[in-house]
Amino acid sequence: MINTSTLLYNASNLPISSIRRSNKLNIKAVKMELTLTRPDDWHLHLRDGDLLAAVAPYSARDFGRAIVMPNLRPPITTTADAIAYRESIMKVLPADSDFNPLMTLYLTDTTSPNEIKLAKESGVVYAVKLYPAGATTNSQDGVTDLFGKCLPALQEMAEQSMPLLVHGEVTDPDVDIFDREKVFIETVLRPLIQKLPRLKVVMEHITTADAVKFIETCKEGTVAATVTPQHLVLNRNSLFQGGLQPHYYCLPVLKREIHRQTILSAVTSGSKQYFLGTDSAPHERQRKESSCGCAGIFNAPVALSLYTKIFEEAGALEKLEAFTSFNGPDFYGLPRNTSKIKLTKRPWKVPERILFPSGEIVPMFAGQMLDWKPSF
Ligand code: DOR
Ligand code: ZN
């Protein structure tokens, strides 16, 4: 696990020894730089109102496009809602931004096949999100009868090549919270894929070795997974390190170290079935630091630095670009971005807090030093 002390800038992480051997120049003049095709974020919560205005510029800075989650209150259940939400996102972006929000619909028991057709025709909606009712933040309007009431909509999605994005956890209170992903795979996801083999499915924010094993049995190009930075750098101990750490609480919850290591190996293996999805999910500070704290980690300001660090430590920097910038658009059937982004290996401090009119947001690794900085 990358604990916070190894995240501190550490010159020994630089492959300086090799630079020294091959380069007689003063090593201080050697700067590590990476140029990547501009990445996309295939799973992002942007919220609405002044929280949207506060957080959207962080994603727009580092990413070309993002799949925007529909779990607002009320949720985005129609194409008309998605178009209106997209307009409100565009209004808060910096004037020179070319960030492109790709919208999603929130699947309910009453989503009609016609709504799916409208979504596809709109050119604005790129996927439909399945929240099992009660699984996570603002999922109360989610699905209660996937194989019954939702079937016509799912069949139309398979027909239209409209991906289903899955929050892969069962909600049965008798299932241990650390097993909810594993049980979901066996009781919902595998049967779903057997029933609708042409349906494109993204298992979002995978957290377990069980999910990796499952994805590997599925057809490339039909089933894929997104992976967050937190599930690659933290394990469940982080939630309790030195006291309860609400800013590391997200859903699916962090898992054991063995799961983190398995996901890390899968992602850095070069498989095309995994791509970047931050699940950046901001909540106002008091809603996290509360007697009943919300799930969600605001990682947009640090996500790209962390993914880079992870691939670097795994000795797999040459596989980073496919994960950040190729596998996602290839899966969605969209063109890869043509512009580039540069990352420089130099220490930078994550802001302690981000102020906005209704309060403040604490970003992931607030106040800590990270060592890959996107530059513009
Ligand atoms: O931690 C999470 N936060 N997981 C989710 O699935 C939803 C998200 C949110 O919207 O806050
Ligand atoms: Zn999410």
Side-chain angles (χ1 to χ4, degrees):
M1 181 179 74
I2 297 180
N3 64 32
T4 47
S5 60
T6 62
L7 278 166
L8 296 176
Y9 182 74
N10 173 0
S12 68
N13 287 339
L14 283 164
I16 275 179
S17 51
S18 56
I19 294 167
R20 259 199 203 114
R21 273 197 297 277
S22 63
N23 191 339
K24 294 264 156 50
L25 296 172
N26 178 354
I27 59 162
K28 283 191 186 131
V30 177
K31 228 169 54 179
M32 283 248 320
E33 265 182 13
L34 273 175
T35 302
L36 299 177
T37 298
R38 193 172 190 78
D40 302 303
D41 183 350
W42 300 96
H43 184 130
L44 175 65
H45 298 268
L46 282 176
R47 314 303 191 200
D48 52 7
D50 56 5
L51 190 47
L52 164 65
V55 302
Y58 288 94
S59 296
R61 187 194 65 177
D62 291 359
F63 299 101
R65 296 166 286 195
I67 283 277
V68 180
M69 289 296 122
N71 62 332
L72 302 186
R73 290 193 84 159
I76 304 297
T77 54
T78 66
T79 300
D81 293 342
I83 291 170
Y85 183 26
R86 188 174 190 280
E87 278 163 13
S88 61
I89 296 167
M90 296 309 285
K91 280 197 191 122
V92 303
L93 294 177
D96 59 350
S97 173
D98 56 1
F99 181 70
N100 183 7
L102 311 176
M103 309 311 291
T104 59
L105 295 189
Y106 184 113
L107 186 68
T108 71
D109 289 347
T110 59
T111 304
S112 68
N114 192 46
E115 195 61 57
I116 302 297
K117 278 197 194 100
L118 288 175
K120 185 72 183 186
E121 280 161 20
S122 72
V124 165
V125 175
Y126 287 83
V128 176
K129 178 70 191 257
L130 160 60
Y131 288 108
T136 187
T137 310
N138 295 345
S139 63
Q140 54 281 358
D141 301 302
V143 167
T144 67
D145 186 13
L146 187 69
F147 291 97
K149 293 188 177 136
C150 294
L151 195 59
L154 294 171
Q155 282 164 334
E156 188 61 35
M157 287 168 60
E159 199 60 38
Q160 302 278 350
S161 227
M162 173 73 82
L164 179 72
L165 314 182
V166 176
H167 183 106
E169 290 191 289
V170 293
T171 54
D172 179 348
D174 290 338
V175 176
D176 189 281
I177 190 160
F178 293 101
D179 295 333
R180 288 184 183 176
E181 183 170 286
K182 178 185 158 85
V183 174
F184 185 90
I185 290 167
E186 294 315 324
T187 59
V188 183
L189 208 43
R190 208 185 287 282
L192 177 68
I193 284 161
Q194 272 158 10
K195 198 172 182 66
L196 296 170
R198 285 172 48 230
L199 181 67
K200 279 172 97 90
V201 175
V202 183
M203 189 174 181
E204 302 284 13
H205 41 53
I206 58 164
T207 63
T208 58
D210 310 276
V212 169
K213 218 162 135 193
F214 167 73
I215 293 294
E216 282 166 5
T217 65
C218 295
K219 197 166 154 221
E220 191 182 295
T222 306
V223 181
T226 55
V227 185
T228 76
Q230 59 265 25
H231 293 108
L232 288 168
V233 299
L234 301 172
N235 66 30
R236 68 190 196 179
N237 286 356
S238 320
L239 279 166
F240 309 104
Q241 207 89 56
L244 193 58
Q245 301 292 335
H247 298 288
Y248 292 154
Y249 174 52
C250 64
L251 287 171
V253 74
L254 297 168
K255 302 295 192 302
R256 280 180 185 276
E257 175 62 6
I258 184 68
H259 293 293
R260 186 192 74 82
Q261 284 178 15
T262 308
I263 296 167
L264 178 65
S265 303
V267 159
T268 54
S269 71
S271 162
K272 289 172 72 68
Q273 280 176 293
Y274 303 97
F275 42 85
L276 186 161
T278 63
D279 198 15
S280 183
H283 292 275
E284 202 285 319
R285 176 181 208 129
Q286 283 176 16
R287 291 171 54 83
K288 298 245 353 133
E289 297 175 12
S290 138
S291 60
C292 184
C294 294
I297 297 178
F298 177 52
N299 63 28
V302 299
L304 214 46
S305 296
L306 293 177
Y307 285 121
T308 306
K309 172 89 175 173
I310 291 153
F311 276 74
E312 181 191 26
E313 290 195 348
L317 270 181
E318 77 287 357
K319 308 228 171 83
L320 176 66
E321 190 178 33
F323 175 77
T324 60
S325 319
F326 299 162
N327 299 349
D330 293 357
F331 180 86
Y332 275 82
L334 294 171
R336 296 174 179 177
N337 291 326
T338 49
S339 60
K340 305 279 178 197
I341 186 169
K342 207 187 299 169
L343 286 139
T344 309
K345 182 145 188 172
R346 67 183 162 89
W348 67 282
K349 191 173 178 197
V350 182
E352 299 277 358
R353 62 185 65 82
I354 290 150
L355 297 173
F356 74 114
S358 309
E360 61 187 50
I361 316 149
V362 179
M364 185 178 180
F365 292 141
Q368 297 187 42
M369 299 299 291
L370 299 186
D371 60 5
W372 281 100
K373 181 131 180 81
S375 54
F376 311 92

